[in-house]
Every structure is written in C-alpha cells, then in structure tokens.
Amino acid sequence: MEAYAGQRFVGMDLHRRRSVLVRTTAAGEVLERVRIVNDVDRLAAVIVRAGDSPEVVLEATYGWYWAVDALRAQGARVHLAHPFGGEGV
C-alpha cells in the first residue's frame, strides 16, 4: 500500500510525552501507525512520509501549539478538533 500516491490523511493522538500518528488513504486504508516521542524533529521525520500537504487532525488538548507549528512548517494542513465536536484552527 506504500505505493499509494493520492491525498493522505493523518490523525494524531497527542499526549504529554508521546503521540500516536495514523496515516491513511482517502478511503481510510491505514498506511502507517507509529508511536513517537514528542519532539519537533521526530514529528517532522514522520509527517514527511505523508507527502505534500497532508490533512492532519489532532485534538485540541493541552500543549497542542508546538505540534501545530511543527506540522504547518512541514506543509501540513492542520485541523484542530474540539473534543466535544466542531473544529478550530
């Protein structure tokens, strides 16, 4: 499935020290699931595998600012999801 060339989507479950990123196709097929230590360089190394301008969704949880900045620096379109519904950023 890694040969997939279409739009990619990434869901990020952000926690204080570690996060889980799931990269999928437009149809929802999982391309990669990875757990990382929260670090700008590590996040950049993983998100680059999502191709140009991936759509990334993460929850508006405590400390999300650094992740949004790092993702946007890599060209991602970031969607900040509110835990009770709706969307921000």
Side-chain angles (χ1 to χ4, degrees), residues 54-74:
E55 300 284 345
V56 180
V57 177
L58 66 131
E59 184 180 353
T61 187
Y62 179 80
W64 57 266
Y65 307 94
W66 75 269
V68 170
D69 290 343
L71 290 164
R72 285 182 172 166
Q74 294 298 313

Side-chain angles (χ1 to χ4, degrees), residues 1 6 8 10 15 19-20 25-27 30 32 35 37 40-41 44-45 64-66 69 75 77 85-86:
M1 181 56 70
R8 295 175 188 175
V10 179
H15 294 274
S19 294
V20 176
T25 67
V30 175
E32 177 182 35
R35 184 173 181 213
V37 172
V40 171
D41 293 332
W64 57 266
Y65 307 94
W66 75 269
D69 290 343
R77 286 181 251 159

Side-chain angles (χ1 to χ4, degrees), residues 1-2 21-25 27-34:
M1 181 56 70
E2 199 54 46
L21 289 91
V22 178
R23 185 166 43 96
T24 69
T25 67
E29 297 174 73
V30 175
L31 298 170
E32 177 182 35
R33 181 177 289 118
V34 62

